[in-house]
Amino acid sequence: MAMRKLLLLLKPLDGYAPPHGASPQILHHLDSRRKVHLDTIKFCQTILQEKRVEWKAVERNDLSQPINDVDLVVTVGGDGTLLQASHFMDDRIPILGVNSDPTRNDEVERFGNEFDATRSTGRLCAATVENFEQVLNDILEVQTAPSKLTRISISVNKHQLPTYALNDILVAHPCPAALSTFSFRIRNDDQPCSPLVNSRSSGLRVSTAAGSTAAMRSAGGFLMPILSQDLQYMVREPILPGKLLNLMHGVIKHDQAMDITWACKEGVIYIDGYHVNYTIQDGDTIEISCRAPILKVFLTNQSLTSAL
């Protein structure tokens, strides 16, 4: 099917606002990042003007309703912009990420002793200014197909949450220094696949394959093939797990679900970071599975072959 209508979703420029008291080096670095991002936006808009498509540009912070009536979403920013877009998308419309500000290794080496000069990683972004037109042409001419990425479905007390996680979720007390108390069990249909685990810890993280390169990897998790339909879970900093240590980290297979019972007065489910979150309370039950609509994402060959 020919693509005729596109949505260009942009990371806002205020994302490069300097912290209070920033040094001249940091200010110069952020000014450079802002300019590179703005130049990338202008470049993408120029390319789109040359194509036989209808398109409009919207800042990601202005999204408030599900994305419909377009054939393709193009995000300009980094993985955060693509993640935010995914929260407004079902499994019908594909998405292409453009990394507008890729990290420069020479900067990281030069400024490593002064500040963090990392720019944008863009693991889920298949394009930069260097290849955007070619990637877009391949998409418009149906010479390439999007990959189907698994997302996480969450329900609380049997009520489905409206947001699906593309990277990961964290179930924890709202105060990072507070104890999280909960129990969980993995099941297949109505049959338990694991013992009931009672946990006192810093919370529970569950990631998709796409999210296994993010916080899960930083916590000591393993990389998963990006097209895997399984989920990975990890109890954060478990207190005296004893004989259940091997159950603190594992996999939820694509045909399984995890049932959690929250046992603290307060709790929060964070979805793909901290911006999207839902409060929970003592006695709430949470179901986590991969039974969510997939997300169609155009990826690089490197992303598809990593962790294989």
Side-chain angles (χ1 to χ4, degrees):
M1 182 182 69
M3 293 189 176
R4 291 289 176 259
K5 298 181 68 176
L6 278 66
L7 174 66
L8 191 66
L9 193 67
L10 311 176
K11 176 181 178 179
L13 293 176
D14 59 15
Y16 300 100
H20 178 71
S23 68
Q25 292 93 334
I26 294 177
L27 291 175
H28 182 269
H29 178 69
L30 290 174
D31 282 343
S32 170
R33 293 195 60 187
R34 185 178 185 277
K35 182 179 184 303
V36 169
H37 175 60
L38 184 57
D39 288 346
T40 302
I41 292 174
K42 293 177 179 178
F43 176 81
C44 291
Q45 290 175 330
T46 298
I47 296 298
L48 287 176
Q49 287 171 354
E50 299 171 355
K51 307 300 176 183
R52 301 178 68 177
V53 295
E54 298 177 39
W55 62 276
K56 64 178 180 178
V58 176
E59 283 199 0
R60 71 183 190 191
N61 293 342
D62 292 333
L63 277 181
S64 60
Q65 299 296 323
I67 297 174
N68 292 304
D69 301 324
V70 297
D71 302 309
L72 174 68
V73 174
V74 178
T75 62
V76 183
D79 286 340
T81 304
L82 191 147
L83 283 170
Q84 189 164 345
S86 75
H87 297 161
F88 295 88
M89 299 176 65
D90 57 21
D91 56 359
R92 293 173 297 170
I93 303 170
I95 186 169
L96 168 67
V98 180
N99 187 350
S100 65
D101 185 29
T103 293
R104 303 175 182 178
N105 293 331
D106 61 321
E107 285 186 336
V108 174
E109 293 181 7
R110 191 186 335 151
F111 300 118
N113 291 328
E114 301 176 44
F115 60 91
D116 182 5
T118 304
R119 292 182 179 236
S120 176
T121 303
R123 294 184 186 277
L124 297 176
C125 298
T128 64
V129 290
E130 295 180 358
N131 67 347
F132 172 66
E133 185 169 16
Q134 183 60 59
V135 172
L136 181 63
N137 285 341
D138 288 344
I139 293 172
L140 296 178
E141 296 167 9
V142 199
Q143 299 298 312
T144 186
S147 298
K148 298 178 180 180
L149 297 189
T150 293
R151 292 193 280 184
I152 302 174
S153 171
I154 313 113
S155 66
V156 177
N157 299 326
K158 298 186 178 181
H159 295 287
Q160 177 74 49
L161 298 187
T163 306
Y164 303 110
L166 178 58
N167 256 7
D168 55 32
I169 68 168
L170 173 64
V171 186
H173 194 282
C175 174
L179 185 69
S180 294
T181 306
F182 56 92
S183 61
F184 68 88
R185 171 180 278 157
I186 298 174
R187 62 173 169 80
N188 189 327
D189 293 329
D190 293 328
Q191 300 301 314
C193 301
S194 73
L196 181 67
V197 178
N198 297 306
S199 173
R200 298 167 68 241
S201 65
S202 297
L204 175 73
R205 188 181 302 280
V206 182
S207 84
T208 63
S212 68
T213 63
M216 183 62 77
R217 184 183 186 186
S218 298
F222 53 85
L223 297 181
M224 304 168 69
I226 198 166
L227 298 184
S228 172
Q229 297 178 44
D230 298 336
L231 306 178
Q232 183 178 172
Y233 76 88
M234 180 181 289
V235 177
R236 302 197 312 165
E237 302 167 329
I239 298 174
L240 299 175
K243 295 180 180 180
L244 297 178
L245 178 61
N246 65 328
L247 295 176
M248 297 295 112
H249 180 206
V251 170
I252 307 169
K253 294 293 187 179
H254 69 277
D255 57 350
Q256 298 175 340
M258 174 181 277
D259 292 326
I260 304 166
T261 300
W262 188 249
C264 291
K265 183 178 179 180
E266 298 176 89
V268 182
I269 302 174
Y270 299 96
I271 299 179
D272 288 334
Y274 67 93
H275 293 291
V276 180
N277 59 79
Y278 298 89
T279 60
I280 52 177
Q281 60 186 358
D282 188 11
D284 281 348
T285 58
I286 306 158
E287 181 189 84
I288 296 172
S289 74
C290 63
R291 300 183 189 114
I294 56 94
L295 186 72
K296 295 179 181 178
V297 185
F298 290 97
L299 298 171
T300 63
N301 289 331
Q302 182 180 358
S303 295
L304 290 171
T305 57
S306 63
L308 292 178

